[in-house]
Amino acid sequence: MTGTALPQPRVPDSRDVPVLRWGIMGPGWIAERFTESIQAHTGQVIAAIGSRSLSRSKAFADTFDVPAAYGSYEELAAAPDIDIVYVCTPHTGHHAAAVLAIDAGKHVLIEKPIGLNADQARDIAARAGAAGVFAAEAMWTFFLPKFDVIRQILDAGTLGTITTVVAEYGEHFDPSHRIFNPALAGGPLLDLGTYPLALVTEVLGSPQQLAAVGQPHESGVNAQLSAVMTFDGGAQAVVNTHVHNFTPTAATVVGTEATLTIDGPFNMPGGFEVRFPDGTRLRRDEPAGGHFEGLHYEAAAVARAIAAGGTEASQRTLAASIRTLEVADEIRRQLGVVFPGEAAVAVRSARH
C-alpha cells in the first residue's frame, strides 16, 4: 500500500480545552519556554512559580505576570489554588519534587527525564496511582501534531514490518552549562539521548540485546555514547548522542514497505517524508520550530486528559517513560556511569 496522501493530525486546538491552574517548580530556561508557549497559545493559567530562591521566583513572576511566587517547593505544593505542578527542576530533583507534589494531592507533569532511572520512574507511577492523580513525563515531542500523523502511519502499517530505527542528537554547550556537572547527572544521555531512545522504544519496544560504547569528558561526565540494539523479530536500532557539536538530529524508521525520514531536529516541529520503493514520496511540510512553538500541545493534552478523568497521557504513558529509562539504565550500566545518590540502583539494575 502506497496511498496517495498522508493522514491529517487529530490534535485539537490548544485553546479548546478546560483550564487548569499550573504551578511551576523551578524557574529555569525550560520553565520560561513553557510559560511563553502556554500564554501565547492556550487559555491555561500559570498561577504560581516556586523556587528554592524567593528572589528568583519573584523575578520569574514579574517577567511573566504570574500572580504568586514562593521561596520553596513545599509552599508551592501546598498552595490550595494550584491544580497541577509542572516539575522542571534540575534532573536530580525531578523525583523528589514530583513526590512532593503528588503527596500534596496535585497532578504532575514532569520534565523529561521523569527520573534519573527506571526505579525513580516506577516509584512516581506507583505513588501517583495510589494517590489517584495524573502523572506524565513532559516528552513534548510525542504531543506534537506531526507525531500524531507519524503514529497514524505506524498504526496503519504503512511502513510494513519495521526493520531499523536510526536516530542521533548532538549539541554544542558552553563549558559552564550544567550538562558538564557530574553532580547534576550531566552528560548527553538525559538531556539529548532521551529523545532518540524514546523514539526507538516507542517504535520497537524494549530491546532484547544492547551494546553500548562511550567516551569520557574531561569534566567527569560522559561526552558521547552510541548504542546498538536488537529486538524481537530481528529489528535493529542505532543511537548516538554527544556534547561535542551540533548535528542534524535526524531520525529514520525503515520498514519492509516504506521508509520514514524525519527532518532534523526530529524532536521539534518540522517536516518528514515517507518514501516507497517505487519512488513515490509522501511529504508533510510544516515550519521548523522550537520549544515556544510546540510546548503548548503537551499542556493542552494534559488538561484534556485530566478533564476526562484520566491519570495518564496516551501520547506518553508512564510505562513508555519507564521503558525508555530501562534502556538508558542498561547503557549506563555498560559504561559505568552512575548518577548522584543511586549507587544502589545501579547495582540492582546490573542483576537484571
Side-chain angles (χ1 to χ4, degrees), residues 14 19 21 27 39 55 83 103 110 126 138 143 151 164 170 252 264 306:
S14 290
V19 174
R21 298 166 300 177
Q39 292 179 340
S55 62
D83 300 311
D103 286 350
I110 305 149
F143 294 86
R151 190 170 277 112
T164 316
T252 302
I306 291 172

Side-chain angles (χ1 to χ4, degrees), residues 145-158:
K146 80 169 188 183
F147 262 87
D148 182 68
V149 178
I150 289 170
R151 190 170 277 112
Q152 292 181 67
I153 292 168
L154 294 171
D155 290 347
T158 303

Side-chain angles (χ1 to χ4, degrees), residues 15-100:
R15 293 189 183 276
D16 188 26
V17 290
V19 174
L20 295 180
R21 298 166 300 177
W22 294 73
I24 297 179
M25 282 189 183
W29 181 86
I30 194 64
E32 294 174 351
R33 304 293 81 72
F34 183 82
T35 301
E36 286 175 348
S37 193
I38 295 306
Q39 292 179 340
H41 298 289
T42 81
Q44 302 297 306
V45 174
I46 307 297
I49 177 73
S51 171
R52 290 167 294 187
S53 162
L54 183 58
S55 62
R56 284 193 70 204
S57 282
K58 286 183 173 177
F60 187 100
D62 289 344
T63 300
F64 295 101
D65 197 24
V66 176
Y70 297 101
S72 73
Y73 299 147
E74 289 79 5
E75 289 176 280
L76 176 66
D81 56 347
I82 299 297
D83 300 311
I84 182 169
V85 171
Y86 172 49
V87 174
C88 46
T89 63
H91 300 330
T92 47
H94 284 186
H95 175 262
V99 168
L100 196 62

Side-chain angles (χ1 to χ4, degrees), residues 232-316:
D232 280 345
Q236 298 181 11
V238 181
V239 299
N240 171 266
T241 186
H242 59 78
V243 294
H244 292 310
N245 221 321
F246 290 99
T247 69
T249 308
T252 302
V253 181
V254 182
T256 55
E257 301 296 325
T259 294
L260 167 68
T261 303
I262 310 173
D263 300 352
F266 75 87
N267 60 315
M268 296 190 177
F272 64 81
E273 184 174 90
V274 178
R275 180 178 180 180
F276 297 86
D278 66 1
T280 302
R281 294 174 183 242
L282 300 179
R283 173 92 192 159
R284 175 177 169 82
D285 280 309
E286 67 178 28
H291 294 79
F292 178 78
E293 289 85 6
L295 289 175
H296 63 94
Y297 290 110
E298 66 183 1
V302 167
R304 203 174 293 120
I306 291 172
T311 56
E312 289 197 48
S314 61
Q315 298 89 342
R316 183 62 171 169

Side-chain angles (χ1 to χ4, degrees), residues 66-233:
V66 176
Y70 297 101
S72 73
Y73 299 147
E74 289 79 5
E75 289 176 280
L76 176 66
D81 56 347
I82 299 297
D83 300 311
I84 182 169
V85 171
Y86 172 49
V87 174
C88 46
T89 63
H91 300 330
T92 47
H94 284 186
H95 175 262
V99 168
L100 196 62
I102 291 167
D103 286 350
K106 302 293 197 293
H107 302 299
V108 287
L109 176 65
I110 305 149
E111 190 48 55
K112 56 85 189 163
I114 194 170
L116 291 181
N117 49 57
D119 280 353
Q120 287 190 354
R122 291 186 199 100
D123 187 58
I124 288 170
R127 288 171 182 267
V133 298
F134 178 97
E137 179 184 36
M139 177 59 74
W140 71 295
T141 301
F142 292 145
F143 294 86
L144 296 172
K146 80 169 188 183
F147 262 87
D148 182 68
V149 178
I150 289 170
R151 190 170 277 112
Q152 292 181 67
I153 292 168
L154 294 171
D155 290 347
T158 303
L159 302 186
T161 301
I162 306 301
T163 64
T164 316
V165 179
V166 180
E168 52 78 20
Y169 192 167
E171 240 183 72
H172 175 269
F173 295 89
D174 183 270
S176 64
H177 195 279
R178 60 168 174 76
I179 205 165
F180 297 113
N181 188 344
L184 293 178
L189 182 60
L190 297 186
D191 275 277
L192 311 181
T194 187
Y195 289 108
L197 290 182
L199 178 66
V200 166
T201 52
E202 183 76 12
V203 174
L204 292 173
S206 298
Q208 296 301 303
Q209 291 180 288
L210 185 154
V213 292
Q215 175 191 31
H217 190 270
E218 59 187 10
S219 64
V221 304
N222 166 257
Q224 174 172 222
L225 62 87
S226 299
V228 180
M229 294 165 255
T230 60
F231 299 80
D232 280 345

